[in-house]
Amino acid sequence: MPLTQIRAFHRPDHIEGVWHLLQEGPEVRLVGGGSELAIRCPSEVRVLVDLAYLGLDRIELADDGSITLGAMVTLTDMLEHPELRALPSGVIQEMMVHVGSPLLRNAASIGGHLARGWLSDVIPVLLVLDASVELYDGEYRTTTLDRYYRDGIHNGLHILTAVTIPPASNGRAAAFLRFSRSAYDHALANAACLVDIEEGRVGTARIALSAGFRAAARQPASESQLVGSGFTDENITAAVSALEIDAHSDWLASADYRSHLARTLVGRCLHLARERAGGGS
Amino acid sequence: MGKFTVVGTNERKVDGRALATGQPVFVGDIPPREGLLHLALLHSPHPHAVIRSINTSRAEALEGVALVLTHLNTPTVRYTTAGQGHPEPSPYDARVFDSKVRFVGDRVAAVAADSEEAARRACELIEVEYDILQPVLSLDEAMADGAPVIHDEDDALDVWAAERNCVSHMVASAGDVAVGFAECEGVVDVTCETQYAQHVPIENHIATTYLDEDDRLVIVSSTQVPFHVRRIIARVIDVPVHRIRVIKPRIGGGFGVKQEVLIEDLPALVTMRTGRPAVLEYDRAQEFVSARTRHPMRVRVKLGAKRDGILHAIEMEVWSNTGAYGTHGLTVLSNVGSKTLPLYNKAPHVKFWGEAYYTNLPVGGAYRGYGATQGYFALETAMDRLASELGIDALELRRRNHIRTGETSPIFAALGEGREGVEQTITSCELESCIDIGSDHIDWGAKRGLRHTDGDWVHGVGVSIHMQGSGIPLIDMGAASLKMNDDGSFNLSIGATDLGTGSDTILGQIAAEALGVPLEMIIVRSSDTDLTPFDVGAYASSTTYVSGMAVQRAAYDVADQIKTVAAEMLEVDANEVELTNERAGPPEGDSVSLVQVAHRSLYGVNQRQIGALASCVPELSPPPFLAAFVEVRVDVVTGKVEVVDFVAAVDCGTAINPQLAEGQVEGAVVNGIGYALMEEMIFDGKGRCRTTDLGRYKIPSISDVPPLEVVLVESFEPTGPMGAKSVSEIGINAPIPAIANAIHDATGIWLTETPFTAERVWRALNGHGS
Amino acid sequence: MIIRFQLDGSSMETDVEPGTSLLEALRGLGATSVKDGCSHGDCGTCAVLLDGRAVAACLLFAAQVDGSSIETVAGMAGEEGLHPLQSALLDAGAVQCGFCTPGILLTALELLKNNPDPDEVEVRQALAGNLCRCTGYVKIIEGVLLGADRLAGAEGGS
């Protein structure tokens, strides 16, 4: 049944035009790729604004090696892009083959996916890759993806226009793991990590996890258990113990089981990353 | 087998080309007729309430609304939606609309309007005042002393004990189990619980109705039972059977849920009252909330054996949850025992007791496996426990106890479908070969008890063995008519209902075989109550065996008529004539083509239509048999269970079309794996279903399917068409017990509750019970 | 609003409500080979090829395909008969009720265009979003692999 509440479908070709429409209020929603709106449209929505005509569908490589994805780049584009596949441990590909199915990845845009701010397998991976996002709210601004969620920016009025992944240094290893009821299902919990090993010690360590419906978050307390130390079993155990897990009970799983899963996944990710880094301890 | 030419080959499905090219062959593909009215339903938001008042005036005033139906303006006849033969074994406890609602999703009103949008909007304008009653949201609540009475109406028929919410009651026995158990040296006692699950045909329920040029009501429906739809709708809306035509086109899967006469009454009423065509189509959420489910059950099995492992006493007790209405309550309950207990026929002392109860939850119905699925969980895990108890290999215990050709079981006669059964002796059983083949494939001897580990994963193997049936003896009925055309082709007309199984194809193959022609010379038409003879429809694994026998009889009759004409033409004895390669004649010597035979009979001498009509009411229900072997691995840290390998060796007699027979077993096994590991309808504390889409209710996707090998172990059923038995249901029974037994082999834990989710396994591994 | 697109090679122009999904628009135009199994992006029966990419038509607004090219299973068979992938699915016994078949054919077609020689794992990954309740998928995998072989054979022969 058509969404008869929708009165208009706009297709602006410049960002100011989108911003102008968006400021009209909660009755205006952005359409980026395959749309959750088509199946779960809030009743107040009256106007749809398509972002397809802004030229946001490009993947650009900067001289410093960073990669910028326009908001309308599809998840399939990301999966297939050679520079993204070359990121540490092939972690983008490792993660992306589990995101939905080709039918969803072919239509879903990275901007739309991140702006939802829900449980996602993409978010923890981009968090450990230290991605930043470009927003437009009358002017362009940039923030880290971590702050985008941690500070609630994703809930504010804005247009997410691009994602930038900084260059990867050599010697980094990453891993992603998820846990779900079946192969084609939302994760009950997921985790990603990225580590640098310098002279036998952990230089950089980034850990992100989610154990519920909210977007993943970085784990600074856990990361600090590793940085500057040897990548030993003991330190991995300490990092897992230091996780701050915001799990809740629902009909899918209990909070204690989700917490257990999250700890298990982080521990396994760290062991996997150490293996990929060539031992290290 | 070598003696067949068309039977036993992997013919392409007769409807395959149309399906693969996306032809408009499903109900929803029919172009809208002029003036089509769209129906929308208002469902109850409460699990248990009385409708104090209902005001439809605002809905009726909305532009485009043609009719609003409620309990105030619709027939009050009590009936059952179960879609069974007459007299129906399910209680008459439902109305088109009732003044009482009994589950969240029960019908309150229907609106017919020019558009779906208008119909839905009008539903929102209906004002209903409810007197809310205390709901009954579990089997235990239903059975509790002083429980609210769900069916307190005084005009329901055939409810066993409505005052204690008991829908049906069934007992059967042989010998004396008390005496039997006292004589046993090993006894185990197991109670298992199974969950609410839905069929999830990929096509939702849909029915459309219109008046034809003769003012007769035509119902085009995605149904498994077109003839039962005609009979039941005629009674419910008070239109004579001869004024109704029911057509089933291609349908997108059924698995039992389309045996229910679930929605046809409403568009039929709208068309009769307005004269306009009407359509009602469920959406996916309605399939969960307001269609039918598998009956959740608690099944207790007690097994006793002598030291040698030969079973001496078996007791089975069943508590079934039928939800708000009693559809299939009695018969599914009966089949928990009747399709399982005869498998172990050595025990002289057997007792079955079962009761089904109403609750204020969605309604149970027919679902592939039909109670056997629930029964085998308890029975086949109890067999493994008994094997442990006696120190006998689980496979060896089964070999010592299962039924064989030439043997019988007292349960066949004692327990049928909702009544006493029919005595029968097994006339074909290759279960021993199935066990040998399956155990070789899985490498049982090497892997059982090995507990091979791979990081956090521990491997285990499990087995279960099964029987089902082939139709309902002395109740089911199928008929076929066959006529010959000018060019030596034949019209095969059958009431049997192909719901995607390929029954049109295999019934065509049976006719082609009998007539000595290729399949393309059989033009198959099915499931149109005006044009095809009667058939009860597609349920109870009946089509291959029952409808197939009707086709074989009609085809042999036609073959005899052809032989007579050919014998006249060739001036030989008709007994010498054989039909082969579209020709008729003695094995040695001259022959005539079927074209010549057809021309002579249609245009030449002794002119007449070569044709026949035949029926089959089976006296037996020969069981197919299956042995399933599974290897699983369990992540002992997270509790995750993965099926690594699955083999199902099945004896279905002659496989009329081996590829389609394999497909039936493969589909059933994967459905069963879903039921064992992930599928579960979950309700909140107010009886509302939480799992109303396919993102939340998980069915197996292609990525969840393990390496799966189905082996057809040929036998020949002397009472079946071309030696065949039915095969559509049996595979679904195997995954739960086989996987449970494999999990035990890997980890030492016994699971007694489905589905075996990771969290449930994790809790059991950590000593929190299952 | 008026939208224009190519449907199986023919130019279409249609007036849709702005909230109409691509699935509704296509079925409304009589393209009933595109099935509606869940209207929720979960089942894959409504898959179409949008500029060569398989997408779930229920998750897109019709307005989003303005100027694009849509292919459905109705356009797969040529004058010479069934597409080799259609024949392969039928020969493998991969079609039971057939309701999921159009979506599976189109999704598999995209796979084979990008990867003419997939292995079983790649077939499973490609069809992860196409649910089938009848077959247990065994013969669908066989059918797609058979179709890949036949397409490769046809290319090799020409």
Side-chain angles (χ1 to χ4, degrees):
Chain A
M1 197 176 76
L3 295 164
T4 46
Q5 70 204 57
I6 305 298
R7 293 194 316 259
F9 192 99
H10 294 291
R11 296 181 280 200
D13 59 4
H14 55 283
I15 195 82
E16 295 83 2
V18 178
W19 179 241
H20 180 74
L21 287 164
L22 198 55
Q23 284 174 291
E24 286 177 14
E27 63 174 58
V28 182
R29 288 294 166 98
L30 304 180
V31 175
S35 189
E36 298 260 338
L37 281 175
I39 54 171
R40 286 189 198 92
C41 193
S43 56
E44 72 271 19
V45 177
R46 297 284 178 274
V47 176
L48 300 174
V49 183
D50 192 352
L51 300 182
Y53 297 82
L54 301 174
L56 296 177
D57 55 351
R58 287 189 287 273
I59 299 180
E60 287 170 357
L61 306 177
D63 291 342
D64 69 353
S66 65
I67 306 167
T68 296
L69 315 167
M72 292 296 282
V73 166
T74 67
L75 301 186
T76 297
D77 294 337
M78 289 179 67
L79 176 61
E80 293 177 349
H81 198 271
E83 300 289 334
L84 289 169
R85 292 175 82 109
L87 286 168
S89 310
V91 71
I92 290 273
Q93 192 189 0
E94 179 173 49
M95 169 273 295
M96 197 64 89
V97 294
H98 297 293
V99 178
S101 69
L103 296 177
L104 305 185
R105 294 195 296 267
N106 283 341
S109 67
I110 184 62
H113 189 80
L114 296 180
R116 292 187 320 169
W118 298 348
L119 169 70
S120 148
D121 290 330
V122 181
I123 293 170
V125 170
L126 290 183
L127 283 173
V128 301
L129 291 169
D130 206 22
S132 57
V133 290
E134 181 193 68
L135 318 174
Y136 184 89
D137 57 2
E139 57 188 86
Y140 286 100
R141 60 179 77 227
T142 300
T143 182
T144 65
L145 188 64
D146 185 37
R147 290 197 55 182
Y148 182 63
Y149 296 118
R150 193 152 38 83
D151 296 350
I153 301 169
H154 70 288
N155 290 322
L157 199 63
H158 68 278
I159 305 151
L160 193 157
T161 51
V163 184
T164 297
I165 300 170
S169 66
N170 294 327
R172 289 188 172 185
F176 167 81
L177 289 170
R178 72 196 301 278
F179 192 93
S180 58
R181 292 175 294 173
S182 66
Y184 175 48
D185 192 11
H186 295 292
L188 290 178
N190 58 24
C193 74
L194 178 144
V195 285
D196 253 350
I197 299 171
E198 295 159 3
E199 294 168 1
R201 292 185 176 277
V202 175
T204 307
R206 299 194 200 110
I207 298 168
L209 70 84
S210 49
F213 287 110
R214 281 181 285 277
R218 285 277 294 276
Q219 293 286 329
S222 183
E223 291 166 2
S224 67
Q225 294 291 321
L226 293 169
V227 175
S229 307
F231 206 177
T232 60
D233 286 352
E234 295 73 35
N235 289 334
I236 288 175
T237 303
V240 168
S241 299
L243 290 169
E244 290 169 6
I245 300 169
D246 177 22
H248 61 276
S249 289
D250 59 24
W251 56 272
L252 277 168
S254 65
D256 60 334
Y257 184 64
R258 281 186 194 271
S259 298
H260 170 73
L261 280 181
R263 286 180 217 287
T264 303
L265 294 179
V266 169
R268 286 177 176 177
C269 266
L270 289 169
H271 282 282
L272 198 53
R274 186 172 68 182
E275 208 174 283
R276 287 170 177 177
S281 56
Chain B
M1 298 290 283
K3 61 181 178 170
F4 296 129
T5 50
V6 184
V7 160
T9 65
N10 295 330
E11 294 280 357
R12 267 193 194 178
K13 285 184 70 189
V14 293
D15 51 353
R17 195 201 59 83
L19 293 169
T21 55
Q23 299 299 308
V25 294
F26 295 95
V27 180
D29 301 341
I30 299 169
R33 288 177 170 260
E34 185 70 32
L36 180 70
L37 289 170
H38 297 260
L39 270 72
L41 294 182
L42 178 66
H43 296 294
S44 171
H46 304 297
H48 199 189
V50 171
I51 297 173
R52 190 196 312 153
S53 71
I54 186 161
N55 182 348
T56 57
S57 55
R58 286 175 65 209
E60 281 158 355
L62 190 75
E63 190 181 333
V65 171
L67 185 62
V68 180
L69 298 174
T70 70
H71 71 276
L72 299 172
N73 64 355
T74 48
T76 56
V77 55
R78 291 259 170 222
Y79 73 112
T80 175
T81 60
Q84 296 164 302
H86 183 81
E88 290 146 312
S90 296
Y92 282 10
D93 58 3
R95 283 179 173 166
V96 175
F97 293 98
D98 209 342
S99 56
K100 187 179 187 187
V101 289
R102 299 180 178 84
F103 69 107
V104 175
D106 208 350
R107 288 175 175 186
V108 175
V111 175
D114 291 340
S115 69
E116 197 183 338
E117 301 93 271
R120 290 204 185 188
R121 220 169 325 132
C123 280
E124 293 168 11
L125 297 176
I126 296 171
E127 295 154 14
V128 191
E129 285 185 303
Y130 296 96
D131 287 329
I132 295 179
L133 304 173
Q134 187 189 336
V136 173
L137 297 178
S138 71
L139 204 47
D140 288 321
E141 286 177 39
M143 295 188 291
D145 286 342
V149 177
I150 295 168
H151 282 271
D152 51 356
E153 68 274 15
D154 55 15
D155 60 342
L157 279 181
D158 294 335
V159 180
W160 179 261
E163 71 285 355
R164 60 179 182 94
N165 292 320
C166 183
V167 181
S168 44
H169 170 93
M170 178 60 67
V171 288
S173 67
D176 183 334
V177 287
V179 172
F181 283 116
E183 294 166 351
C184 289
E185 287 149 313
V187 175
V188 294
D189 195 333
V190 181
T191 301
C192 292
E193 300 231 10
T194 53
Q195 79 275 35
Y196 257 107
Q198 221 272 333
H199 312 63
V200 192
I202 302 298
E203 178 205 37
N204 298 326
H205 282 84
I206 180 168
T208 185
T209 52
Y210 58 92
L211 296 176
D212 70 9
E213 57 280 9
D214 299 320
D215 221 26
R216 291 173 72 233
L217 176 66
V218 181
I219 302 172
V220 186
S221 180
S222 181
T223 178
Q224 295 174 221
V225 289
F227 286 88
H228 293 341
V229 169
R230 184 178 65 171
R231 186 191 83 243
I232 291 165
I233 294 299
R235 175 172 169 265
V236 170
I237 69 169
D238 197 22
V239 171
V241 164
H242 72 269
R243 301 295 300 166
I244 301 176
R245 174 183 182 186
V246 179
I247 300 168
K248 179 226 64 120
R250 296 296 96 192
I251 80 172
F255 316 108
V257 78
K258 292 176 182 169
Q259 186 181 346
E260 295 287 321
V261 184
L262 187 69
I263 62 171
E264 293 89 346
D265 55 327
L266 295 176
L269 274 170
V270 168
T271 292
M272 293 307 292
R273 294 207 182 161
T274 63
R276 293 171 63 179
V279 63
L280 174 56
E281 180 174 13
Y282 266 14
D283 63 23
R284 185 55 64 186
Q286 285 173 302
E287 288 292 321
F288 288 105
V289 173
S290 197
R292 296 292 179 259
T293 71
R294 187 185 292 284
H295 291 82
M297 288 188 193
R298 180 179 302 153
V299 180
R300 174 177 166 259
V301 167
K302 187 175 176 185
L303 299 179
K306 298 292 185 72
R307 183 81 58 212
D308 61 4
I310 304 295
L311 287 168
H312 191 61
I314 306 176
E315 183 174 9
M316 180 181 268
E317 291 185 306
V318 184
W319 298 265
S320 172
N321 174 356
T322 70
Y325 296 93
T327 60
H328 298 271
L330 175 65
T331 40
V332 166
L333 178 71
S334 308
N335 272 20
V336 179
S338 69
K339 293 287 183 273
T340 60
L341 296 172
L343 181 64
Y344 295 123
N345 65 328
K346 307 293 180 283
H349 306 289
V350 187
K351 183 182 170 194
F352 176 87
W353 176 95
E355 288 196 337
Y357 295 88
Y358 290 121
T359 60
N360 293 116
L361 288 168
V363 184
Y367 192 156
R368 195 178 212 172
Y370 207 74
T373 315
Q374 294 93 318
Y376 276 117
F377 180 18
L379 180 63
E380 281 297 274
T381 54
M383 284 297 281
D384 264 39
R385 294 200 199 206
L386 183 65
S388 298
E389 177 87 12
L390 295 170
I392 298 174
D393 175 68
L395 201 50
E396 178 58 27
L397 185 70
R398 288 176 173 84
R399 288 185 203 272
R400 290 181 196 175
N401 281 289
H402 73 73
I403 198 166
R404 286 169 165 76
T405 306
E407 297 180 357
T408 186
S409 158
I411 295 299
F412 282 129
L415 187 59
E417 285 217 12
R419 60 182 199 184
E420 287 183 349
V422 173
E423 201 175 304
Q424 71 172 344
T425 297
I426 298 298
T427 39
S428 61
C429 176
E430 287 297 327
L431 191 49
E432 286 163 277
S433 303
C434 293
I435 291 172
D436 290 343
I437 289 165
S439 59
D440 282 354
H441 177 105
I442 212 82
D443 202 3
W444 178 267
K447 287 183 177 167
R448 177 73 167 183
L450 186 66
R451 293 199 180 169
H452 165 69
T453 60
D454 165 20
D456 292 327
W457 295 98
V458 185
H459 290 243
V461 294
V463 63
S464 65
I465 63 172
H466 306 274
M467 55 167 273
Q468 192 89 21
S470 297
I472 312 171
L474 303 182
I475 292 178
D476 278 349
M477 189 307 220
S481 78
L482 193 63
K483 74 175 173 68
M484 191 181 200
N485 298 317
D486 302 37
D487 64 346
S489 68
F490 300 85
N491 293 106
L492 173 63
S493 185
I494 42 185
T497 309
D498 189 337
L499 48 149
T501 52
S503 65
D504 283 355
T505 305
I506 64 118
L507 294 174
Q509 284 178 263
I510 290 169
E513 184 69 47
L515 294 164
V517 300
L519 179 59
E520 69 254 28
M521 297 305 276
I522 308 290
I523 304 150
V524 184
R525 278 288 168 267
S526 60
S527 311
D528 179 330
T529 59
D530 268 11
L531 303 180
T532 64
F534 180 86
D535 193 290
V536 291
Y539 58 86
S541 292
S542 59
T543 304
T544 300
Y545 184 73
V546 180
S547 310
M549 185 53 86
V551 170
Q552 178 174 293
R553 286 177 184 164
Y556 282 150
D557 187 339
V558 167
D560 284 345
Q561 295 172 36
I562 292 169
K563 288 174 186 174
T564 302
V565 175
E568 287 166 19
M569 295 166 76
L570 294 165
E571 296 180 346
V572 296
D573 189 319
N575 290 326
E576 294 173 45
V577 176
E578 291 181 7
L579 303 184
T580 174
N581 292 325
E582 301 181 72
R583 300 189 68 81
E588 312 289 333
D590 292 341
S591 64
V592 289
S593 73
L594 295 194
V595 178
Q596 291 171 296
V597 172
H599 271 259
R600 180 181 166 99
S601 65
L602 292 173
Y603 308 114
V605 292
N606 289 332
Q607 281 163 274
R608 66 189 185 98
Q609 170 69 59
I610 291 178
L613 173 65
S615 308
C616 173
V617 179
E619 293 175 4
L620 302 170
S621 179
F625 294 94
L626 183 147
F629 291 80
V630 62
E631 179 174 352
V632 303
R633 59 177 197 161
V634 181
D635 179 340
V636 292
V637 177
T638 64
K640 178 129 185 142
V641 177
E642 285 184 3
V643 177
V644 175
D645 196 7
F646 200 111
V647 58
V650 56
D651 159 16
C652 62
T654 302
I656 304 291
N657 182 318
Q659 194 179 60
L660 291 174
E662 286 166 13
Q664 283 302 301
V665 181
E666 287 160 1
V669 164
V670 170
N671 191 337
I673 289 174
Y675 191 47
L677 296 181
M678 63 186 82
E679 296 185 31
E680 183 171 22
M681 290 171 67
I682 294 173
F683 302 91
D684 68 12
K686 294 176 177 175
R688 292 178 296 208
C689 182
R690 305 292 304 269
T691 46
T692 55
D693 61 52
L694 297 173
R696 285 178 274 195
Y697 184 94
K698 296 315 296 184
I699 69 170
S701 74
I702 199 166
S703 311
D704 293 302
V705 176
L708 168 56
E709 177 93 13
V710 169
V711 183
L712 300 177
V713 180
E714 197 110 334
S715 70
F716 191 88
E717 172 51 48
T719 68
M722 311 277 165
K725 299 185 276 191
S726 291
V727 73
S728 61
E729 294 185 270
I730 189 167
I732 202 167
N733 302 326
I736 292 177
I739 290 171
N741 289 338
I743 292 171
H744 181 262
D745 186 50
T747 65
I749 59 167
W750 287 118
L751 294 166
T752 57
E753 210 178 323
T754 50
F756 310 138
T757 60
E759 182 167 357
R760 185 165 278 146
V761 175
W762 176 71
R763 290 195 183 283
L765 285 165
N766 287 285
H768 303 301
S770 81
Chain C
M1 61 191 295
I2 304 288
I3 58 167
R4 295 175 189 83
F5 58 96
Q6 297 285 310
L7 178 59
D8 293 321
S10 303
S11 297
M12 304 296 290
E13 181 176 306
T14 183
D15 192 357
V16 295
E17 294 292 322
T20 306
S21 74
L22 177 59
L23 172 58
E24 290 157 350
L26 289 173
R27 286 189 64 85
L29 287 166
T32 54
S33 71
V34 186
K35 302 301 179 199
D36 180 1
C38 74
S39 295
H40 235 269
D42 294 320
C43 77
T45 59
C46 67
V48 296
L49 296 183
L50 170 60
D51 294 330
R53 288 290 197 181
V55 296
C58 72
L59 288 179
L60 291 165
F61 291 105
Q64 288 176 272
V65 307
D66 198 10
S68 303
S69 160
I70 304 274
E71 292 164 73
T72 74
V73 84
M76 261 181 90
E79 288 187 359
E80 63 282 9
L82 295 177
H83 185 280
L85 190 57
Q86 289 172 314
S87 297
L89 256 62
L90 290 175
D91 288 340
V95 178
Q96 283 193 30
C97 83
F99 201 79
C100 70
T101 303
I104 286 184
L105 280 166
L106 291 164
T107 312
L109 191 62
E110 186 206 0
L111 168 72
L112 298 185
K113 276 184 191 164
N114 298 331
N115 179 1
D117 185 25
D119 61 22
E120 186 181 323
V121 172
E122 290 165 329
V123 172
R124 286 174 184 256
Q125 286 176 349
L127 293 175
N130 296 81
L131 298 179
C132 167
R133 192 60 151 174
C134 294
T135 63
Y137 303 103
V138 177
K139 296 192 185 329
I140 290 175
I141 295 169
E142 289 171 12
V144 174
L145 294 173
L146 180 64
D149 283 351
R150 287 186 182 171
L151 283 163
E155 302 240 319
S158 63

